Coordinates of all heavy atoms in Angstrom, one line a residue:
V167 N 32.2 16.7 37.7 CA 30.8 16.8 37.1 C 29.7 16.5 38.1 O 29.8 15.5 38.8 CB 30.6 15.9 35.8 CG1 29.2 16.1 35.3 CG2 31.7 16.2 34.8
I168 N 28.8 17.5 38.2 CA 27.6 17.2 38.9 C 26.4 17.2 37.9 O 26.2 18.2 37.2 CB 27.3 18.4 40.0 CG1 28.5 18.5 40.9 CG2 26.0 18.1 40.7 CD1 28.4 19.7 41.8
G169 N 25.7 16.1 37.9 CA 24.5 16.0 37.0 C 23.2 16.1 37.7 O 23.0 15.4 38.7
F170 N 22.3 16.9 37.2 CA 21.0 17.1 37.8 C 19.9 16.3 37.1 O 19.8 16.4 35.9 CB 20.6 18.6 37.8 CG 19.1 18.8 38.2 CD1 18.7 18.8 39.5 CD2 18.2 19.0 37.2 CE1 17.4 19.0 39.9 CE2 16.8 19.2 37.6 CZ 16.5 19.2 38.9
M180 N 27.4 6.7 37.5 CA 28.4 6.8 36.4 C 29.7 7.2 37.0 O 29.8 8.0 37.9 CB 27.9 7.9 35.4 CG 26.7 7.5 34.6 SD 26.2 8.8 33.4 CE 25.2 9.8 34.5
N182 N 32.9 9.0 38.1 CA 33.4 10.3 38.2 C 32.3 11.4 38.0 O 32.6 12.6 37.8 CB 34.5 10.6 37.3 CG 35.7 9.6 37.5 OD1 36.0 9.3 38.6 ND2 36.3 9.2 36.4
I183 N 31.0 11.0 38.0 CA 29.9 11.9 37.8 C 29.0 11.8 39.0 O 28.4 10.8 39.3 CB 29.1 11.7 36.5 CG1 30.1 11.8 35.3 CG2 27.9 12.6 36.4 CD1 29.5 11.4 34.0
E184 N 28.8 12.9 39.7 CA 27.9 13.0 40.9 C 26.5 13.3 40.4 O 26.3 14.3 39.8 CB 28.5 14.0 41.9 CG 27.6 14.2 43.1 CD 28.0 15.3 44.0 OE1 29.1 15.9 43.7 OE2 27.3 15.6 45.0
L185 N 25.6 12.6 40.8 CA 24.2 12.8 40.5 C 23.4 13.4 41.6 O 23.6 13.0 42.8 CB 23.5 11.6 40.0 CG 23.9 11.0 38.7 CD1 23.2 9.7 38.4 CD2 23.8 12.0 37.5
T186 N 22.6 14.4 41.4 CA 21.8 15.0 42.4 C 20.4 15.4 41.9 O 20.2 15.7 40.7 CB 22.5 16.3 42.9 OG1 21.7 16.9 44.0 CG2 22.7 17.4 41.8
Y191 N 22.0 22.9 44.9 CA 23.3 22.4 45.2 C 24.2 22.5 44.0 O 25.4 22.9 44.1 CB 23.2 20.9 45.7 CG 24.5 20.2 45.8 CD1 25.3 20.4 46.9 CD2 24.9 19.3 44.8 CE1 26.6 19.7 47.0 CE2 26.1 18.6 44.9 CZ 26.9 18.8 45.9 OH 28.1 18.2 46.0

Side-chain angles (χ1 to χ4, degrees):
V167 178
I168 303 172
F170 169 78
M180 290 179 278
N182 304 319
I183 298 173
E184 177 186 359
L185 292 177
T186 182
Y191 169 78

